Amino acid sequence: IQSSFLIDAIARKHDLGATQEDVDKKLNEYVAQSGVDIARVKEFYSKPEQLSRLTYSITEEKVINLLMSTVKVKEVDASALKDKE
Protein backbone atom coordinates (compact mmCIF):
# COMPACT_ATOMS: atom_id res chain seq x y z
CA ILE A 1 0.00 0.00 0.00
CA GLN A 2 2.83 2.41 0.79
CA SER A 3 4.36 1.93 -2.64
CA SER A 4 1.03 2.78 -4.28
CA PHE A 5 1.03 6.14 -2.45
CA LEU A 6 4.53 6.80 -3.75
CA ILE A 7 3.56 5.80 -7.30
CA ASP A 8 0.50 8.07 -7.15
CA ALA A 9 2.51 11.02 -5.82
CA ILE A 10 5.19 10.71 -8.50
CA ALA A 11 2.56 10.25 -11.22
CA ARG A 12 0.71 13.39 -10.11
CA LYS A 13 3.90 15.44 -9.87
CA HIS A 14 5.04 14.44 -13.37
CA ASP A 15 1.60 14.16 -15.01
CA LEU A 16 2.06 10.45 -15.74
CA GLY A 17 -1.50 9.23 -15.32
CA ALA A 18 -2.90 6.74 -17.83
CA THR A 19 -4.70 8.39 -20.74
CA GLN A 20 -7.37 6.88 -22.97
CA GLU A 21 -4.69 6.58 -25.66
CA ASP A 22 -2.51 4.58 -23.23
CA VAL A 23 -5.44 2.29 -22.41
CA ASP A 24 -6.24 1.72 -26.09
CA LYS A 25 -2.59 0.95 -26.83
CA LYS A 26 -2.40 -1.54 -23.96
CA LEU A 27 -5.63 -3.25 -25.07
CA ASN A 28 -4.22 -3.62 -28.57
CA GLU A 29 -1.04 -5.11 -27.09
CA TYR A 30 -3.15 -7.65 -25.21
CA VAL A 31 -5.00 -8.53 -28.43
CA ALA A 32 -1.71 -8.99 -30.30
CA GLN A 33 -0.27 -11.16 -27.51
CA SER A 34 -3.32 -13.31 -26.85
CA GLY A 35 -5.16 -13.43 -30.16
CA VAL A 36 -8.42 -12.71 -28.32
CA ASP A 37 -10.91 -10.54 -30.21
CA ILE A 38 -10.69 -6.83 -29.35
CA ALA A 39 -14.40 -6.73 -28.51
CA ARG A 40 -13.94 -9.37 -25.80
CA VAL A 41 -10.90 -7.58 -24.39
CA LYS A 42 -12.79 -4.28 -24.29
CA GLU A 43 -15.77 -6.00 -22.67
CA PHE A 44 -13.54 -7.40 -19.93
CA TYR A 45 -11.95 -4.01 -19.27
CA SER A 46 -15.28 -2.19 -19.33
CA LYS A 47 -15.80 -3.35 -15.74
CA PRO A 48 -14.70 -0.57 -13.36
CA GLU A 49 -12.48 -2.77 -11.20
CA GLN A 50 -10.65 -4.21 -14.23
CA LEU A 51 -10.22 -0.79 -15.83
CA SER A 52 -8.90 0.59 -12.55
CA ARG A 53 -6.29 -2.17 -12.36
CA LEU A 54 -5.28 -1.55 -15.96
CA THR A 55 -4.93 2.21 -15.57
CA TYR A 56 -2.94 1.78 -12.35
CA SER A 57 -0.66 -0.71 -14.10
CA ILE A 58 -0.08 1.74 -16.95
CA THR A 59 0.61 4.58 -14.52
CA GLU A 60 2.99 2.39 -12.52
CA GLU A 61 4.85 1.46 -15.71
CA LYS A 62 5.19 5.14 -16.66
CA VAL A 63 6.55 6.01 -13.21
CA ILE A 64 9.05 3.16 -13.31
CA ASN A 65 10.19 4.24 -16.78
CA LEU A 66 10.68 7.80 -15.50
CA LEU A 67 12.65 6.60 -12.50
CA MET A 68 14.82 4.27 -14.58
CA SER A 69 15.62 7.06 -17.02
CA THR A 70 16.68 9.46 -14.26
CA VAL A 71 18.26 7.19 -11.66
CA LYS A 72 22.01 6.85 -11.33
CA VAL A 73 23.11 3.45 -10.10
CA LYS A 74 26.48 3.11 -8.46
CA GLU A 75 27.95 -0.34 -7.98
CA VAL A 76 29.70 -0.89 -4.67
CA ASP A 77 31.66 -3.82 -3.36
CA ALA A 78 29.68 -6.03 -0.98
CA SER A 79 32.32 -5.51 1.70
CA ALA A 80 31.45 -1.81 1.76
CA LEU A 81 27.88 -2.55 2.85
CA LYS A 82 27.02 -2.45 6.52
CA ASP A 83 24.31 -4.50 8.16
CA LYS A 84 21.96 -2.10 9.94
CA GLU A 85 20.40 -3.87 12.89
Side-chain angles (χ1 to χ4, degrees), residues 4-66:
S4 65
F5 291 132
L6 182 59
I7 298 281
D8 290 340
I10 294 169
R12 276 193 307 276
K13 182 176 181 177
H14 296 280
D15 194 27
L16 297 174
T19 64
Q20 185 59 49
E21 183 180 332
D22 295 326
V23 170
D24 292 340
K25 182 179 174 185
K26 188 61 77 174
L27 295 180
N28 286 320
E29 287 176 18
Y30 290 162
V31 168
Q33 292 170 357
S34 67
V36 175
D37 183 64
I38 187 71
R40 291 189 69 202
V41 172
K42 285 184 176 183
E43 179 185 344
F44 178 78
Y45 284 104
S46 69
K47 298 176 182 108
E49 64 275 3
Q50 298 303 338
L51 182 59
S52 177
R53 287 183 192 158
L54 178 63
T55 56
Y56 183 80
S57 174
I58 292 168
T59 300
E60 183 179 42
E61 187 176 317
K62 287 176 149 187
V63 167
I64 289 170
N65 288 339
L66 171 74

